[in-house]
């Protein structure tokens, strides 16, 4: 699935910020640390790939705003929370290659969830993400998550999927 280069730049930016923040201990994931991660990663964006300077600044501000809203205070109540920066496998039964990157795994005594920050929502991408999480989770944890969440930063909305119930909510 090919996306426009500037959209790929946005996703790469978000993935790097998320990695910076989630590699910190939970107690250090403050708003200040999120801002520091953003200011460290932002100069790496290739602004010349964007259709215009206006597009660059407006879309970046929107993404940063939604990212900070969703990341603020996450994980403090969880027993375990960490990031998986990359995983891949070949599923022989389906004859498909599965890959996940920059997913956040959260565990508490009563719930196991996986989430990912997407910059732009592409329906096929979300479906592929859900299927990859289920396969990865079976392989890695011998169970499927209770909840799979994709957070779409261009809109600020999240799509939540409960595998056992096969239900979506937004």
């Amino acid at each position: 699935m090919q996306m426009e280069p500037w959209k790929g730049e946005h996703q790469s930016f978000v993935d790097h910020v998320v990695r910076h923040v989630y590699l910190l201990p939970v107690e250090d994931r403050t708003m200040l640390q999120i801002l520091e991660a953003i200011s460290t990663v932002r100069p790496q964006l290739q602004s010349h790939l964007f259709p215009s300077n206006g597009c660059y600044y407006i879309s970046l501000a929107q993404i940063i705003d939604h990212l900070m809203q969703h990341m603020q205070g996450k994980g403090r109540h969880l027993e375990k929370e960490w990031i998986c920066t990359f995983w891949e496998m070949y599923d022989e039964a389906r004859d498909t290659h599965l890959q996940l990157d920059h997913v956040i795994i959260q565990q508490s005594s009563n719930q196991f969830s996986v989430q990912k920050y997407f910059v732009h929502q592409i329906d096929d991408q979300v479906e592929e993400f859900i299927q990859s999480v289920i396969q990865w989770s079976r392989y890695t944890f011998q169970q499927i998550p209770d909840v799979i969440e994709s957070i779409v930063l261009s809109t600020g909305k999240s799509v939540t999927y409960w595998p056992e119930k096969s239900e979506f909510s937004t």
Side-chain angles (χ1 to χ4, degrees):
M1 176 176 324
Q2 191 69 15
M3 71 171 60
E4 297 172 70
W6 65 274
K7 289 182 179 180
E9 274 296 293
H10 273 155
Q11 189 65 56
S12 178
F13 167 75
V14 167
D15 289 345
H16 282 85
V17 169
V18 167
R19 182 175 55 226
H20 269 283
V21 172
Y22 280 90
L23 288 177
L24 294 170
V26 173
E27 61 274 5
D28 292 345
R29 295 178 196 158
T30 63
M31 186 58 69
L32 180 59
Q33 289 297 330
I34 296 169
L35 288 169
E36 284 182 16
I38 290 168
S39 68
T40 299
V41 176
R42 195 209 46 81
Q44 299 168 17
L45 273 168
Q46 296 181 44
S47 59
H48 70 278
L49 295 175
F50 291 77
S52 68
N53 281 337
C55 174
Y56 170 74
Y57 288 110
I58 290 170
S59 60
L60 186 60
Q62 181 181 32
I63 288 166
I64 289 171
D65 180 45
H66 290 142
L67 182 63
M68 290 174 58
Q69 287 178 38
H70 282 276
M71 289 180 86
Q72 186 178 13
K74 290 267 186 177
R76 296 179 191 267
H77 64 285
L78 299 169
E79 295 165 14
K80 296 178 185 177
E81 181 180 51
W82 70 95
I83 186 169
C84 174
T85 56
F86 186 77
W87 173 86
E88 70 179 326
M89 75 172 268
Y90 178 74
D91 182 356
E92 290 182 25
R94 293 180 175 199
D95 191 30
T96 54
H97 177 81
L98 302 171
Q99 179 176 321
L100 286 174
D101 65 280
H102 299 89
V103 294
I104 298 155
I105 300 95
Q106 301 171 328
Q107 285 185 304
S108 66
S109 57
N110 59 356
Q111 185 170 287
F112 167 44
S113 68
V114 177
Q115 67 177 208
K116 179 167 175 66
Y117 292 97
F118 289 98
V119 174
H120 303 279
Q121 180 175 342
I122 302 167
D123 290 335
D124 292 347
Q125 183 182 37
V126 172
E127 180 61 35
E128 182 179 313
F129 167 67
I130 289 168
Q131 293 308 314
S132 293
V133 166
I134 290 170
Q135 292 298 89
W136 164 73
S137 196
R138 282 183 179 143
Y139 179 79
T140 306
F141 302 106
Q142 290 74 49
Q143 70 180 65
I144 61 172
D146 300 305
V147 178
I148 300 171
E149 181 180 22
S150 59
I151 300 159
V152 183
L153 297 174
S154 59
T155 63
K157 296 184 179 187
S158 65
V159 177
T160 306
Y161 179 71
W162 289 272
E164 287 294 319
K165 299 177 184 176
S166 297
E167 291 180 0
F168 283 94
S169 78
T170 55

